[in-house]
Amino acid sequence: MRPSTFPWIQIHTLAFFTLSAGLLAEQISYSDHCSSFVPEAASDINSYSVDTFPLSQHHAGYYSGNLRNILKTLPSSSPPFLANSSSDSSNHLTFQTRDVHETAREGVLKVEADLLLRVFNYDDFYVTEVRSYGTAYFPSFFHRSPSRKRVRSWVFFRLEGFWSETSGKLCMVGSTFTSEREGDGDLNLKAVLKMENVKNSANIASLFTGTLESLSSGDDNDRHFDSLSLLMFPQSNYQYSLVTEVKETGSTVGAFGRNLPVGLSPRSGQFCSTFQMLGYSIKLKHAANCDDPAKNCTPFGRLHSLPSTMSWRHLGCLESDHDRKVRVLVHLSNVMDYSYLSSFDPSMTLVGEGRWDERKNLLQVIACRIHTTGGSFSSAGVEDCSIELSFSFPATWSIKERNVMLGEIRSTRRSNESGYFDPIVIQHTGSEALDLPGLKYNYSEVKRTKQLCPAKKQEIMTTGRRRYPDRFSRDLSFDMSVEVSGGKKLAWGYSYPLFVGNRAFDRFTYGMPESNMNTGDSGVKTNSSTESQFNIAYEISLTMLEKGKSSGRAGIATGLLNGSSVSNESMKISAEGVYDTETGRLCMMGCRSLETLKPDSTDCEILIRFQFPPLDSKKAKDTIKGSIESMRKRSDPLYFNRLNISASAFYAEVSARTIWRLDLELSLVLISNTLSCISVGFQILYVQKHSQVLPYASLLMLTILSLGPGIPLVLNFEALFLETRNRQSFYLESGRWLEANEVLVRAATLVAFLFQFRLLQLSFSSRRGEGDHTKSRGAEKKALLLSLPLYGALKSYAGLVLDGFLLPQILLNLLRDSTEKVLSTPFYVGTTLVRLVPHGYDLWRGHNFVQTQFDGSYIYGTPDTDFYSTAWDVIIPFGGITFAAIVYLQQRFGGCCIIPPKFRKNSISYEKVPVVSDA
């Protein structure tokens, strides 16, 4: 299969195409179904002639018909968001050629291909019942679980057949793939594909049409489906025929008598990508008299409701030094969330060719209607190419005019001719500025903003030493929570810069596009005396919470949502003002559209303030604080109460440092476990050479050291052996994924545990063969009795017990007044270091890193496993070093060496002395 790209096919879907294990196409007799359409011919498998075949590339297309009835993977009770929802349906198809071979008959090629038919406008998902909110379903695209029901969103056929170059006919037979994965269900469909007009040369009138028919009988409800009609638009060897005849109109006057502004031209080499980005939800404005049912205001005749949005689909593009052409599908709709995979309706779609006018910086498109008979795509044809579309890119944005693209749709017919319709204005309101040379922003509210938010000298003096996000930083984009007085959450939202000065802001990469950085810096700084204040333009979106609407709190913000052109549940605010990089303060004036109250009206009496926390703040969970308030009087119907804004401030710079810290901590954990293994290994080798010291080792100490790695291993058992491994994953705003795989850490911990357990076993076994050492056993019991009350009081402080692991050995040495060198120096020194280094690291971490907002983001020196603070990070290492020093002295001078001589009278040591016999 040849690699290719297609915008709406996800990578994992393409990868699925290549899988062959468990996926077999059932062999079906070609001659029984296709001999009268395209006769079969012997093929030469050694020849490869894919370039001759018109469908050699990925070809987009559409089908009419219903496939939902044969999707057995749909739940018995369909989710509410799928029930009778046309916006979630899709009738897209993709034809992908795999191999093309020459045959013994001239002009006939054998073709092997895959056909993908989409049923829903998203990829496969899983539905889950959420009982905490009643019975509801929601799609999940990220996690797969056996408890979730997989819903198939497409049907995939593998086909083989023959194509006649002379007749342009294609006939293929095949069946669906059947995946053996659990939950996919058995979807075994047999079908025959018949296509016509599949020829090498194509123009605006060329359409590839055909049918896909089931080969199962109508009685087989599980495998039979109704006949589908197919429609594809040719992509190879296309000849632009309409745009070569485009006449100079001499006018760019649009509807309502407004002239289209002088536009900008896309950069060289970016013409095709620029128009490919235009996408969906392009707003349409109709003439005021279109309320008259007698008026025709659409290219498709009189409609019950006028289309409000337009979507733009790319069919092909050509760019050279002297010519720029594009092929498009233009779909008019009333659906605001119309997506690339939404159902295709030819009765509301235009197909056209466009050419860029370099002199006027306009894209002029000649479009045609698509007609069908009885809704069948197999009878589709192109007609009535009397429709013109014009598009331009405005050169200047402002707080009230933020149009990525302006244009019009109009008829070339006279007003008294059949098919004429009143012009339609195209307005693509931007959520992000395109990278166009010469694009500028006109600030009109900066002076007013500075009057309402004056800079305070004292504030600059107190905050001047702190660092705040740069004016081009992605940290200036954030999601936010909206609250009213009393802390009640009303809505959520997001905000991001559009311009900094005259530079378009790219919120998906750090800083500005490289092409924009080459422009001058004029207009970026304000006229203020400080060099830290910069003009900035923002886009803010607010959406009401469900609980806010149901609880009646929506009335608090009635004035805010009143007249919103988005909906009665959400709204957008265009804002501009000043950002101060020395104080982290952002102050702006905002405008919202009042389209539903009065066309082209806005409310610009909104004051917006945000305060960013410093980059070098040592506070945990720093937040961006702000407010949105109306400058109108309370009696004004557009007045709304003050809204308080809060947002998490996890900066990109902090994210990068946190990633580095987590990498370091993962390495320290591995080093720590390795050092622990080495230390215990030295002790095992030591006792093997000096087995007489084993009975003198404290069993309690060895038990504590074994439980240290043993308990985490039990709690994380599945991380080692089960398929569902426990991984810590954090998504940080730098755009990178950090995945700390605990399996590697647990493996090292397991080795350390086995070493500790082996040492405990050796010590315990030595006591079984120790003989009658009643006194030594008594000392062991006394040491245990002295330790247990202390450990019982510290049962919640397991980490502290491990830090003082030498205490039982010190007590045993004291009670036995032993001079035996029980512990090897590498063992007790190395183990002490393993316990104490995390506290030294915690001191360093506290002075060099901001506490993160992610729960469980500490891998090494975790606060929930030990005492970590400035005081404890000094006390515990001091205590650990003291214990190690005591063990050293006891093993050199005796267990009671740490007791002053006058208190040693009850500590009597016995030594064997030679006895002289009477003989």
Side-chain angles (χ1 to χ4, degrees):
M1 184 187 307
R2 294 190 170 188
S4 61
T5 57
F6 197 76
W8 57 271
I9 298 182
Q10 303 297 326
I11 294 175
H12 64 272
T13 305
L14 290 175
F16 179 73
F17 284 174
T18 63
L19 295 177
S20 57
L23 305 177
L24 301 175
E26 184 176 343
Q27 295 296 324
I28 302 172
S29 172
Y30 176 85
S31 58
D32 290 347
H33 306 285
C34 291
S35 58
S36 61
F37 201 74
V38 180
E40 186 175 5
S43 61
D44 181 6
I45 60 173
N46 295 320
S47 65
Y48 192 74
S49 186
V50 67
D51 294 333
T52 310
F53 185 51
L55 291 171
S56 58
Q57 306 174 7
H58 275 298
H59 267 68
Y62 310 93
Y63 70 91
S64 64
N66 184 20
L67 278 176
R68 288 198 184 191
N69 61 320
I70 50 87
L71 287 184
K72 299 173 64 176
T73 51
L74 262 177
S76 57
S77 177
S78 295
F81 67 89
L82 292 183
N84 301 321
S85 176
S86 60
S87 62
D88 290 310
S89 298
S90 178
N91 60 350
H92 286 234
L93 67 84
T94 298
F95 187 93
Q96 177 183 330
T97 301
R98 291 184 289 114
D99 286 309
V100 178
H101 302 285
E102 295 181 356
T103 67
R105 183 173 295 134
E106 184 178 359
V108 175
L109 301 178
K110 182 177 181 180
V111 180
E112 298 176 8
D114 298 324
L115 181 65
L116 175 79
L117 303 176
R118 284 196 169 270
V119 182
F120 301 114
N121 60 1
Y122 28 67
D123 292 308
D124 290 3
F125 57 90
Y126 290 76
V127 289
T128 304
E129 189 172 347
V130 188
R131 298 189 180 277
S132 59
Y133 295 95
T135 302
Y137 289 85
F138 62 89
S140 175
F141 299 91
F142 305 103
H143 304 286
R144 295 189 174 185
S145 168
S147 63
R148 295 179 177 180
K149 183 67 176 176
R150 181 173 183 264
V151 177
R152 190 196 300 268
S153 61
W154 44 262
V155 178
F156 184 51
F157 288 89
R158 174 144 289 183
L159 305 170
E160 293 183 0
F162 294 88
W163 170 69
S164 172
E165 183 177 8
T166 305
S167 65
K169 293 182 178 181
L170 170 68
C171 194
M172 307 181 76
V173 295
S175 60
T176 54
F177 273 6
T178 302
S179 172
E180 294 180 350
R181 292 181 299 175
E182 182 181 357
D184 274 6
D186 182 15
L187 191 62
N188 187 11
L189 309 178
K190 304 174 186 178
V192 55
L193 171 69
K194 296 181 180 180
M195 299 290 297
E196 297 189 80
N197 304 317
V198 184
K199 297 187 176 182
N200 277 316
S201 60
N203 55 33
I204 189 67
S206 302
L207 299 175
F208 298 162
T209 59
T211 60
L212 183 72
E213 298 179 353
S214 175
L215 295 181
S216 300
S217 65
D219 297 333
D220 190 350
N221 295 328
D222 292 335
R223 299 186 179 183
H224 177 80
F225 59 91
D226 296 334
S227 177
L228 307 177
S229 59
L230 312 182
L231 169 63
M232 285 183 278
F233 295 89
Q235 295 183 15
S236 58
N237 299 321
Y238 184 85
Q239 302 295 323
Y240 287 86
S241 57
L242 289 181
V243 291
T244 57
E245 302 173 1
V246 173
K247 298 179 180 180
E248 294 291 338
T249 60
S251 173
T252 57
V253 178
F256 312 117
R258 297 191 307 178
N259 292 330
L260 292 179
V262 177
L264 300 175
S265 176
R267 297 180 185 276
S268 177
Q270 296 183 9
F271 171 78
C272 295
S273 60
T274 298
F275 279 97
Q276 205 164 11
M277 292 170 57
L278 293 181
Y280 323 100
S281 299
I282 302 174
K283 190 176 180 180
L284 299 179
K285 287 186 176 181
H286 298 272
N289 58 359
C290 282
D291 294 337
D292 185 355
K295 294 287 294 184
N296 182 18
C297 292
T298 74
F300 312 107
R302 296 180 179 87
L303 301 176
H304 178 69
S305 61
L306 297 176
S308 58
T309 62
M310 181 189 87
S311 65
W312 176 285
R313 295 180 180 177
H314 231 221
L315 290 178
C317 189
L318 177 66
E319 182 174 7
S320 63
D321 294 338
H322 305 289
D323 206 4
R324 294 176 171 183
K325 299 176 182 177
V326 64
R327 294 176 58 216
V328 294
L329 283 180
V330 179
H331 183 83
L332 276 59
S333 172
N334 283 316
V335 181
M336 290 297 296
D337 58 348
Y338 190 86
S339 72
Y340 195 94
L341 293 177
S342 296
S343 291
F344 170 77
D345 181 5
S347 66
M348 294 292 290
T349 305
L350 304 173
V351 58
E353 300 175 0
R355 165 174 280 175
W356 183 258
D357 187 332
E358 295 286 352
R359 185 174 61 86
K360 300 177 182 178
N361 280 345
L362 283 174
L363 179 68
Q364 294 183 328
V365 178
I366 296 182
C368 313
R369 297 184 180 95
I370 302 174
H371 73 85
T372 59
T373 303
S376 173
F377 290 0
S378 59
S379 63
V382 174
E383 65 179 9
D384 189 10
C385 299
S386 63
I387 303 164
E388 266 191 21
L389 295 87
S390 300
F391 303 93
S392 70
F393 300 111
T396 303
W397 285 28
S398 67
I399 193 171
K400 295 182 179 180
E401 296 290 339
R402 295 184 173 183
N403 298 310
V404 175
M405 182 180 69
L406 285 176
E408 63 172 336
I409 307 174
R410 65 179 181 178
S411 174
T412 59
R413 299 178 183 273
R414 296 180 179 179
S415 59
N416 58 354
E417 291 181 341
S418 175
Y420 172 84
F421 60 92
D422 286 350
I424 305 172
V425 169
I426 302 170
Q427 185 179 16
H428 193 353
T429 304
S431 59
E432 185 171 352
L434 296 176
D435 181 19
L436 298 173
L439 183 60
K440 295 183 179 181
Y441 191 94
N442 181 27
Y443 294 90
S444 59
E445 296 289 341
V446 169
K447 183 177 180 180
R448 186 182 180 196
T449 300
K450 292 167 63 177
Q451 293 174 349
L452 294 172
C453 304
K456 300 178 181 179
K457 293 183 179 181
Q458 183 65 28
E459 182 183 18
I460 296 176
M461 292 176 61
T462 57
T463 61
R465 297 178 182 177
R466 310 302 297 271
R467 293 192 306 113
Y468 292 90
D470 181 78
R471 65 187 186 275
F472 296 141
S473 171
R474 287 192 305 126
D475 297 326
L476 297 182
S477 302
F478 54 90
D479 296 332
M480 57 190 182
S481 174
V482 183
E483 300 177 350
V484 293
S485 58
K488 297 180 180 180
K489 291 186 177 180
L490 179 72
W492 68 272
Y494 59 88
S495 60
Y496 54 89
L498 289 177
F499 281 83
V500 178
N502 277 330
R503 296 180 184 174
F505 188 91
D506 187 354
R507 59 192 174 110
F508 297 108
T509 59
Y510 186 84
M512 299 297 100
E514 193 170 317
S515 55
N516 277 348
M517 292 299 291
N518 295 329
T519 62
D521 199 34
S522 62
V524 178
K525 295 185 178 66
T526 69
N527 294 325
S528 173
S529 58
T530 176
E531 294 295 316
S532 64
Q533 294 186 351
F534 298 89
N535 294 345
I536 196 166
Y538 257 79
E539 182 83 6
I540 300 174
S541 177
L542 303 177
T543 302
M544 289 288 294
L545 294 174
E546 289 293 332
K547 61 182 180 181
K549 291 179 284 186
S550 61
S551 65
R553 292 202 300 269
I556 300 175
T558 300
L560 179 66
L561 297 176
N562 188 15
S564 171
S565 63
V566 180
S567 72
N568 58 356
E569 300 173 358
S570 63
M571 66 166 300
K572 289 186 177 181
I573 300 176
S574 301
E576 64 178 47
V578 177
Y579 173 62
D580 194 328
T581 56
E582 284 190 358
T583 62
R585 188 175 65 170
L586 173 62
C587 187
M588 301 180 292
M589 292 301 298
C591 292
R592 61 187 177 112
S593 173
L594 302 176
E595 193 74 26
T596 58
L597 296 180
K598 183 180 179 182
D600 299 324
S601 61
T602 55
D603 171 21
C604 294
E605 297 296 321
I606 302 174
L607 179 62
I608 303 166
R609 294 188 180 99
F610 292 119
Q611 178 63 54
F612 292 88
L615 288 168
D616 52 356
S617 173
K618 293 297 187 292
K619 295 181 180 179
K621 299 184 179 179
D622 259 331
T623 57
I624 301 169
K625 296 292 186 179
S627 64
I628 301 177
E629 51 188 310
S630 176
M631 303 299 293
R632 296 178 179 273
K633 296 181 179 180
R634 286 184 173 271
S635 58
D636 195 307
L638 295 178
Y639 172 84
F640 57 90
N641 291 344
R642 174 190 171 105
L643 302 178
N644 297 319
I645 306 296
S646 62
S648 298
F650 193 64
Y651 294 137
E653 179 180 318
V654 179
S655 301
R657 288 175 55 81
T658 301
I659 292 173
W660 183 87
R661 177 182 62 79
L662 293 175
D663 284 335
L664 173 63
E665 291 187 4
L666 183 59
S667 301
L668 289 174
V669 171
L670 294 174
I671 293 173
S672 176
N673 287 334
T674 303
L675 181 58
S676 178
C677 294
I678 294 174
S679 302
V680 179
F682 271 106
Q683 180 67 15
I684 292 175
L685 293 176
Y686 177 77
V687 299
Q688 287 177 347
K689 293 181 180 180
H690 306 85
S691 58
Q692 74 278 5
V693 304
L694 278 171
Y696 295 90
S698 171
L699 288 177
L700 181 57
M701 177 193 69
L702 297 177
T703 301
I704 291 172
L705 290 176
S706 298
L707 291 176
I711 293 176
L713 284 175
V714 173
L715 297 177
N716 294 274
F717 179 79
E718 69 173 7
L720 277 169
F721 304 107
L722 299 183
E723 203 170 299
T724 309
R725 297 176 178 176
N726 183 17
R727 298 170 182 260
Q728 292 183 7
S729 297
F730 311 98
Y731 180 71
L732 304 176
E733 299 223 358
S734 62
R736 294 174 51 198
W737 275 94
L738 172 70
E739 187 177 77
N741 190 339
E742 288 188 355
V743 175
L744 186 61
V745 175
R746 298 301 173 191
T749 306
L750 175 61
V751 176
F753 168 73
L754 294 176
F755 276 40
Q756 295 280 10
F757 187 78
R758 174 58 177 164
L759 186 59
L760 176 63
Q761 182 192 27
L762 290 174
S763 183
F764 184 78
S765 299
S766 68
R767 282 161 169 73
R768 297 176 60 184
E770 189 182 358
D772 189 13
H773 287 264
T774 306
K775 186 172 182 180
S776 63
R777 291 180 180 176
E780 182 83 43
K781 288 183 179 179
K782 288 180 181 179
L784 181 64
L785 291 175
L786 288 173
S787 302
L788 282 181
L790 178 63
Y791 290 158
L794 299 177
K795 62 182 180 180
S796 301
Y797 313 121
L800 189 60
V801 172
L802 278 170
D803 292 335
F805 73 98
L806 286 174
L807 179 61
Q809 186 64 52
I810 292 173
L811 293 175
L812 183 61
N813 291 342
L814 180 65
L815 293 170
R816 299 182 68 165
D817 195 18
S818 171
T819 58
E820 294 287 346
K821 188 178 179 181
V822 181
L823 307 180
S824 66
T825 302
F827 170 70
Y828 69 83
V829 172
T831 306
T832 299
L833 285 176
V834 168
R835 296 303 311 170
L836 303 187
V837 169
H839 293 278
Y841 169 77
D842 184 62
L843 277 175
W844 175 79
R845 179 174 59 190
H847 286 83
N848 291 276
F849 292 94
V850 179
Q851 183 176 347
T852 64
Q853 300 179 30
F854 295 102
D855 294 332
S857 64
Y858 291 117
I859 300 176
Y860 184 70
T862 54
D864 57 344
T865 60
D866 206 344
F867 283 73
Y868 289 98
S869 67
T870 302
W872 283 108
D873 287 341
V874 174
I875 294 172
I876 291 176
F878 177 79
I881 294 172
T882 301
F883 282 0
I886 291 174
V887 169
Y888 171 78
L889 294 173
Q890 285 181 328
Q891 294 189 157
R892 177 125 186 210
F893 302 108
C896 293
C897 69
I898 61 175
I899 300 178
K902 64 180 180 179
F903 296 109
R904 299 181 191 175
K905 59 183 179 179
N906 294 328
S907 301
I908 303 175
S909 61
Y910 296 88
E911 296 182 4
K912 291 183 179 181
V913 296
V915 178
V916 180
S917 64
D918 294 338

